[in-house]
């Protein structure tokens, strides 16, 4: 199968989805009002509530939701063949992710920028809110730990990428200053910043002295280190400490100082990166063939229903609703911008997931090579991200870039997205801790530095726990829960939007259909994991932490849905006289 054919088909579906389906939803279902006073204007404080140009906000929103997840998930899911992953990414983006991300943004904007957890209380009840906040807290904690693990390992594997990633921070602060204090536009400075980053990456790829290789600093891979750790583990520890200090500062700064300009740079980086990869696919046509099988029968793990939780970001992800209602809704300048920010943000992530599938499945010279590399689901989980970096580097190299430079630039892109998600997630965790503090009258938890310290401290403790991947892989202890919790969160968010639409007397089928599908697949997968894999009743040993947390989250989710179902049955439609 020529990869370019799949790329053209997928991109055309995305274009038609945004052009027609999102317009229908905006006008007929969500009924966006250009005169509605958004929370960014109503509660403007210069820190979290800041009216923002829709292109800048799209940059923040997209890069916050993208991260490494739309790369890791598809890179693993092709284990079952390219066709199921391709179909789920393309049609999931149009009919599920876009609807979900767009809807949570509108719902939050219509309710004073409140988070999706707080909205659960308003729509279903206080008990649902507390249960929902617990699920969200576990999710963002896993995101923090795993993404910190991913970034640290990429820094160790690609030391030439480090300087380019860190030079972005002062550049972003400079751009934020010129935009807010001097009223200048961000486009040209952002493009200059991106050029500086890539020039730095090219230099570092060629000049070893510019590579921040901590393992070499500590004596090489075979050398011993301090605290009883080898040099690799010590390098990992240092990177984790540096990352935690960075996200603490980044998550408490006003959004205009670092978050917005850095994410705007990253939005251009995404456009440049996607352009390079898709052009690379075009330039290698007809050589670039998908060598992976379309479908593949395996004996260890069935794709149905696990495909739908393996690919979350890139098809639909509950974490997107946290970003939409946690930060993006507080920066939306006009309500009509929600379609561009929310739905088009989902389309951008779908395009990233699509090129991931194509980069991985064209990386191997033959189907035999693919099958040898993807010999089991466990191996796919371990090596999927590396296969993407290799495949993407191969596509970029087809445009004339040296192989080492191409891989470094791909690593810079992946790390930049992951870092954006990491500090946005820490900021969201601060909001959640503060909300819980308000709920339980623990005023100390509402203090910004206290809540941030708890968020950063708990994330660092989790990621530094010993795991089956060695020192510092504790985040992966809970990683098997990420997909299921993420998709449960998306299903609950779609449920809240559906109830809100029903109260308005509007057609809620556009949200209830993907909600039912997602709920069915996720509950099936979660019950199977809790009952057989993590309990030890199947072939695997008992995994107590996963079993307990999985059972609790499953119970909470079922509880929320039962309360919502009861509300659906007793409450007639069109009960809200304010039908904006």
């Amino acid at each position: 199968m020529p990869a370019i054919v799949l790329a053209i088909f997928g991109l055309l579906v995305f274009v038609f989805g945004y052009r027609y389906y999102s317009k229908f939803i905006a006008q007929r279902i969500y009924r966006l009002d250009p005169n509605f006073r958004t929370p960014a204007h109503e509660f403007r404080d210069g820190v979290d509530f800041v009216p923002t140009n829709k292109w800048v906000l799209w940059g923040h929103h997209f890069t916050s939701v993208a991260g490494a997840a739309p790369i890791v998930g598809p890179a693993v899911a092709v284990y079952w063949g390219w066709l199921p992953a391709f179909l789920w990414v393309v049609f999931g983006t149009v009919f599920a992710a876009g609807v979900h991300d767009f809807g949570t943004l509108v719902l939050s904007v219509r309710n004073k920028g409140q988070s999706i957890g707080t909205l659960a209380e308003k729509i279903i009840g206080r008990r649902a809110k507390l249960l929902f906040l617990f699920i969200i807290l576990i999710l963002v904690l896993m995101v923090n730990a795993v993404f910190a693990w991913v970034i640290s390992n990429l820094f160790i594997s690609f030391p030439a990428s480090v300087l380019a990633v860190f030079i972005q921070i002062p550049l972003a602060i400079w751009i934020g200053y010129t935009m807010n204090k001097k009223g200048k536009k961000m486009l040209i400075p952002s493009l200059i910043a991106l050029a500086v980053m890539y020039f730095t990456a090219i230099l570092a790829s060629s000049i070893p002295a510019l590579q921040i290789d901590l393992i070499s600093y500590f004596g090489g891979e075979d050398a011993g280190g301090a605290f009883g750790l080898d040099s690799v583990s010590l390098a990992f520890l240092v990177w984790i400490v540096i990352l935690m200090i960075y996200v603490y500062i980044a998550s408490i700064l006003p959004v205009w100082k670092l978050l917005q300009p850095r994410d705007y740079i990253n939005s251009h980086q995404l456009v440049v990166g996607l352009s390079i990869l898709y052009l690379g696919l075009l330039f290698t046509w007809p050589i670039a063939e998908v060598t992976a099988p379309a479908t593949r029968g395996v004996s260890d793990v069935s794709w149905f229903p696990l495909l739908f939780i393996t690919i979350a970001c890139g098809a639909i992800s509950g974490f997107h609703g946290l970003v939409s209602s946690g930060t993006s809704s507080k920066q939306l300048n006009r309500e009509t911008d929600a379609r561009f920010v929310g739905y088009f943000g989902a389309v951008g992530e779908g395009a990233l997931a699509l090129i991931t599938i194509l980069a991985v499945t064209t990386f191997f010279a033959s189907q035999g090579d693919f099958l040898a590399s993807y010999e089991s689901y466990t191996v796919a989980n371990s090596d999927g991200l590396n296969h993407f970096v290799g495949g993407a580097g191969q596509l970029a190299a087809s445009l004339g870039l040296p192989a080492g430079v191409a891989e470094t630039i791909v690593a810079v892109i992946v790390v930049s997205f992951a870092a954006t998600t990491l500090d946005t997630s820490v900021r969201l965790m601060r909001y959640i801790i503060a909300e819980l503090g308000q709920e339980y009258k623990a005023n100390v938890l509402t203090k910004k530095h206290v809540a941030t310290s708890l968020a950063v401290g708990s994330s660092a403790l989790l990621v530094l726990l010993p795991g089956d991947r060695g020192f510092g892989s504790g985040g992966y202890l809970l990683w098997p829960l990420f997909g299921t919790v993420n998709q449960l969160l998306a299903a609950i968010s779609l449920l809240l939007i559906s109830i809100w639409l029903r109260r308005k007397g509007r057609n809620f089928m556009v949200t209830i259909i993907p909600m039912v599908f997602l709920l069915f697949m996720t509950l099936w997968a979660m019950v199977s994991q809790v009952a057989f894999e993590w309990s030890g009743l199947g072939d695997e040993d008992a995994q107590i932490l996963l079993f307990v947390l999985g059972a609790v989250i499953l119970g909470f989710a079922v509880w929320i849905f039962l309360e919502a179902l009861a509300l659906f049955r007793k409450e007639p439609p069109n009960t809200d006289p304010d039908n904006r």
Side-chain angles (χ1 to χ4, degrees):
M1 169 66 72
I4 193 66
V5 173
L6 297 178
I8 292 173
F9 177 81
L11 293 176
L12 283 176
V13 173
F14 292 154
V15 168
F16 281 101
Y18 179 72
R19 175 65 179 84
Y20 297 106
Y21 192 54
S22 72
K23 184 177 181 181
F24 163 75
I25 294 171
Q27 295 179 348
R28 302 292 297 275
I29 308 298
Y30 297 150
R31 300 183 187 176
L32 303 185
D33 181 0
N35 298 315
F36 179 74
R37 191 182 185 203
T38 63
H41 290 281
E42 186 176 359
F43 305 108
R44 184 170 188 166
D45 61 6
V47 179
D48 295 317
F49 292 86
V50 180
T52 305
N53 175 276
K54 70 176 184 179
W55 288 95
V56 176
L57 182 55
W58 178 83
H60 155 70
H61 179 84
F62 171 73
T63 53
S64 295
V65 301
I71 297 172
V72 175
V76 172
V78 293
Y79 171 67
W80 295 298
W82 63 262
L83 183 59
F86 175 81
L87 293 176
W88 175 227
V89 163
V90 171
F91 293 104
T93 294
V94 172
F95 296 108
V99 176
H100 168 271
D101 298 9
F102 186 8
T104 49
L105 180 57
V106 172
L107 184 61
S108 178
V109 167
R110 289 290 176 90
N111 287 275
K112 302 183 182 300
Q114 294 175 329
S115 73
I116 200 72
T118 301
L119 292 171
E121 176 180 22
K122 185 172 184 178
I123 294 174
I124 302 178
R126 181 174 180 271
R127 185 163 47 229
K129 170 191 174 181
L130 297 178
L131 298 176
F132 199 21
L133 284 177
F134 177 80
I135 295 174
I136 294 172
L137 195 63
I138 293 296
L139 177 64
V140 294
L141 180 60
M142 287 188 289
V143 169
N144 295 344
V146 174
F147 276 44
W149 188 91
V150 167
I151 294 169
S152 298
N153 277 280
L154 285 172
F155 278 161
I156 290 171
S157 300
F158 301 96
S161 69
V162 177
L163 188 60
V165 171
F166 276 93
I167 205 170
Q168 185 187 44
I169 297 173
L171 290 172
I173 293 173
W174 165 67
I175 292 171
Y177 174 78
T178 59
M179 180 187 71
N180 281 273
K181 297 300 183 181
K182 297 188 175 182
K184 294 185 177 180
K185 301 294 184 181
M186 290 178 65
L187 178 59
I188 300 302
S190 296
L191 293 176
I192 294 173
L194 190 59
V196 171
M197 287 178 63
Y198 286 165
F199 180 70
T200 304
I202 293 170
L203 281 180
S205 298
S206 307
I207 305 174
L210 296 178
Q211 299 177 13
I212 315 295
D213 188 353
L214 294 186
I215 294 178
S216 296
Y217 295 163
F218 296 140
E221 291 189 9
D222 298 327
F227 312 111
L229 301 174
D230 58 39
S231 59
V232 176
S233 298
L234 187 58
F236 181 87
L237 175 63
V238 171
W239 281 130
I240 290 296
V241 171
I242 292 173
L243 282 174
M244 290 299 114
I245 293 172
Y246 161 73
V247 295
Y248 185 99
I249 297 171
S251 62
I252 62 175
L253 286 176
V255 292
W256 63 265
K257 281 191 175 179
L258 178 60
L259 189 71
Q260 286 181 350
R262 185 211 52 209
D263 292 354
Y264 192 54
I265 296 171
N266 284 342
S267 69
H268 296 308
Q269 187 167 198
L270 169 79
V271 173
V272 171
L274 288 179
S275 298
I276 289 174
L277 296 183
Y278 278 105
L279 281 174
L281 201 63
L282 181 62
F283 273 62
T284 55
W285 179 79
I287 300 172
E289 292 278 335
V290 174
T291 54
T295 58
R296 179 186 180 194
V298 295
S299 58
D300 56 346
V301 179
S302 172
W303 73 273
F304 194 88
L306 288 183
L307 170 74
F308 303 101
I309 63 171
T310 300
I311 301 179
C313 298
I316 181 171
S317 165
F319 181 74
H320 295 194
L322 300 184
V323 176
S324 290
S325 65
T327 58
S328 298
S329 65
K330 298 175 176 62
Q331 301 173 58
L332 198 72
N333 185 40
R334 296 195 309 165
E335 190 177 74
T336 47
D337 293 343
R339 177 190 172 208
F340 180 78
V341 173
Y343 197 100
F344 194 60
V347 167
E349 186 170 66
L352 178 57
L354 174 61
I355 196 62
T356 297
I357 294 172
L358 300 179
V360 171
T361 55
T362 58
F363 177 57
F364 301 95
S366 67
Q367 188 171 118
D369 291 338
F370 174 86
L371 296 176
S373 295
Y374 278 82
E375 61 182 13
S376 70
Y377 185 71
T378 302
V379 172
N381 269 294
S382 300
D383 299 338
L385 184 58
N386 290 334
H387 291 325
F388 167 76
V389 174
Q394 186 173 276
L395 291 177
S398 69
L399 299 179
L401 292 173
V405 171
E407 284 200 355
T408 298
I409 289 177
V410 171
V412 168
I413 293 172
V414 175
V415 171
S416 298
F417 290 167
T420 297
T421 302
L422 177 61
D423 58 24
T424 298
S425 181
V426 170
R427 186 180 288 261
L428 292 172
M429 194 171 180
R430 166 166 68 87
Y431 294 161
I432 296 165
I433 292 171
E435 281 192 54
L436 290 171
Q438 290 177 335
E439 189 66 39
Y440 290 104
K441 310 301 181 186
N443 292 331
V444 66
L445 295 180
T446 64
K447 305 295 184 182
K448 180 167 63 175
H449 289 284
V450 173
T452 305
S453 298
L454 286 173
V456 172
S458 59
S459 301
L461 285 175
L462 179 57
V463 76
L464 291 174
L465 285 175
D468 58 2
R469 302 185 182 209
F471 170 78
S473 60
Y476 271 88
L477 291 172
L478 296 180
W479 184 245
L481 261 178
F482 173 79
T484 49
V485 175
N486 199 20
Q487 302 304 63
L488 277 176
L489 183 60
I492 295 171
S493 299
L494 285 170
L495 175 66
L496 296 177
I497 301 169
S498 300
I499 295 175
W500 175 69
L501 290 174
R502 186 171 184 268
R503 287 177 178 173
K504 299 289 186 182
R506 300 177 193 169
N507 182 358
F508 56 88
M509 288 295 106
V510 295
T511 54
I512 206 73
I513 291 174
M515 186 276 288
V516 171
F517 175 81
L518 197 61
L519 179 64
F520 176 75
M521 293 300 174
T522 306
L523 289 181
W524 183 356
M526 197 166 193
V527 169
S528 299
Q529 289 175 311
V530 170
F532 297 104
E533 292 183 36
W534 301 333
S535 67
L537 294 178
D539 296 331
E540 303 291 334
D541 294 331
Q543 297 171 278
I544 301 302
L545 181 61
L546 286 174
F547 174 74
V548 172
L549 283 177
V552 169
I553 291 171
L554 177 61
F556 283 2
V558 171
W559 195 341
I560 291 172
F561 276 102
L562 289 177
E563 289 203 6
L565 180 61
L567 187 67
F568 242 88
R569 295 179 62 182
K570 73 179 183 180
E571 182 181 85
N574 202 16
T575 57
D576 188 348
D578 178 14
N579 199 29
R580 284 188 288 107

